[in-house]
């Protein structure tokens, strides 16, 4: 699925400005097949497959050592309708130059210096991509932590407000109770005074 998408969008590699759009487009189309991957993950996977393909070309192992060798070979180098050979870079070569180009590429690919240089460049690029990925992960973690802390502060403030509200209700209820008790005591005192006056009146009679 991934290689089929890559093959359909290979022409976008000819334009450096469209490369990033290509990875985004492939990522979006893979989602339609319920495959959740980021554009960076698509790019890393294609880079890894390309490196494996080139390593197999260097070693001469081909499809024996690489499961997707034939598919990658069809994508990275194939004949068009006019018999011209198309490299992954987009350069077209005719049949007359095909053998000479193959010999030249074979010599360069088997050169230890060329191989080491390619491996070093690939490693540097992968390391750079990995560092960028880690940086983005760290940024996302900081954002999540900040959101969590903000949510926690809001929750604490909400609890504090509820606590104060409860304390206010308790204070009001206590004051009402005290007023009620005071009023009851006043009424009781008045009744006691009435009873005392009534006893005096009865005794005087």
């Amino acid at each position: 699925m991934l290689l089929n998408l890559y093959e359909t969008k290979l022409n976008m590699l000819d334009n450096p400005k469209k490369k990033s759009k290509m990875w985004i487009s492939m990522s979006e189309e893979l989602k339609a097949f319920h495959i959740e991957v980021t554009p960076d993950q698509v790019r890393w996977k294609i880079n890894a497959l390309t490196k494996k393909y080139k390593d197999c070309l260097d070693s001469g192992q081909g499809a024996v050592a690489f499961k997707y060798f034939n598919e990658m070979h069809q994508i990275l180098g194939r004949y068009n309708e006019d018999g011209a050979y198309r490299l992954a870079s987009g350069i077209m070569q005719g049949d007359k130059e095909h053998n000479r180009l193959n010999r030249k590429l074979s010599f360069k690919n088997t050169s230890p210096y060329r191989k080491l240089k390619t491996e070093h460049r690939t490693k540097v690029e992968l390391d750079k991509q990995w560092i960028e990925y880690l940086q983005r992960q760290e940024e996302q973690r900081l954002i999540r932590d900040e959101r969590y802390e903000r949510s926690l502060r809001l929750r604490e403030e909400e609890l504090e407000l509820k606590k104060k509200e409860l304390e206010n209700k308790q204070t009001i209820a206590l004051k009402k109770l005290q007023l009620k008790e005071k009023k009851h005591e006043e009424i009781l005192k008045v009744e006691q005074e009435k009873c005392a006056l009534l006893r005096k009146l009865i005794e005087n009679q």
Side-chain angles (χ1 to χ4, degrees):
M1 181 63 65
L2 178 64
L3 293 179
N4 290 337
L5 284 176
Y6 181 51
E7 185 175 10
T8 61
K9 300 181 182 299
L10 194 62
N11 62 315
M12 298 179 72
L13 289 175
D14 297 335
N15 188 338
K17 295 182 179 180
K18 292 184 178 181
K19 282 186 179 181
S20 59
K21 294 182 179 180
M22 181 183 73
W23 307 126
I24 295 173
S25 176
M26 291 177 65
S27 174
E28 292 297 327
E29 292 186 33
L30 286 171
K31 289 180 181 179
F33 298 95
H34 305 290
I35 301 175
E36 295 290 338
V37 288
T38 65
D40 284 339
Q41 289 173 329
V42 174
R43 176 160 51 94
W44 298 340
K45 184 63 176 178
I46 292 297
N47 286 343
L49 290 172
T50 302
K51 182 179 182 302
K52 182 67 175 178
Y53 168 74
K54 291 180 179 179
D55 290 343
C56 288
L57 283 179
D58 293 341
S59 63
Q61 292 179 332
V64 176
F66 185 27
K67 179 180 178 181
Y68 301 103
F69 179 84
N70 292 331
E71 289 86 344
M72 292 297 295
H73 187 67
Q74 181 180 358
I75 295 172
L76 297 180
R78 62 179 181 271
Y79 288 97
N80 67 359
E81 295 178 355
D82 299 328
Y85 189 69
R86 187 186 191 283
L87 300 177
S89 62
I91 300 175
M92 307 297 292
Q93 296 291 338
D95 288 336
K96 293 181 179 180
E97 297 185 1
H98 177 57
N99 292 332
R100 181 182 63 81
L101 179 61
N102 274 348
R103 288 195 298 271
K104 185 176 180 181
L105 289 175
S106 177
F107 172 76
K108 289 184 177 180
N109 287 334
T110 55
S111 171
Y113 174 77
R114 174 75 175 183
K115 185 175 181 180
L116 288 174
K117 186 177 180 181
T118 301
E119 290 178 353
H120 176 71
R121 189 186 304 114
T122 302
K123 184 178 184 302
V124 170
E125 181 64 22
L126 290 175
D127 288 343
K128 181 180 178 182
Q129 293 174 3
W130 178 246
I131 291 173
E132 291 175 352
Y133 172 76
L134 291 178
Q135 289 175 342
R136 285 193 296 271
Q137 290 294 105
E138 179 65 16
E139 290 174 357
Q140 292 176 1
R141 186 189 66 80
L142 292 175
I143 292 174
R144 288 196 300 270
D145 290 346
E146 183 180 352
R147 289 177 179 173
Y148 175 76
E149 290 177 359
R150 189 186 304 118
S151 175
L152 187 61
R153 286 196 301 270
L154 291 175
R155 181 61 178 169
E156 290 176 349
E157 291 175 358
E158 182 181 355
L159 291 175
E160 186 65 24
L161 288 174
K162 288 184 177 180
K163 181 180 178 181
K164 289 182 178 179
E165 183 180 354
L166 181 60
E167 290 176 351
N168 290 335
K169 287 182 178 180
Q170 290 176 342
T171 301
I172 293 172
L174 180 60
K175 287 182 177 180
K176 286 182 178 180
L177 180 61
Q178 290 174 345
L179 288 173
K180 188 175 181 180
E181 290 178 349
K182 185 177 180 180
K183 185 176 181 180
H184 180 72
E185 289 175 355
E186 290 176 351
I187 293 173
L188 182 61
K189 185 178 180 181
V190 170
E191 292 297 327
Q192 288 175 347
E193 290 177 353
K194 286 181 179 180
C195 290
L197 290 173
L198 184 60
R199 279 197 300 269
K200 286 182 179 181
L201 288 173
I202 294 173
E203 290 174 356
N204 291 333
Q205 291 178 356

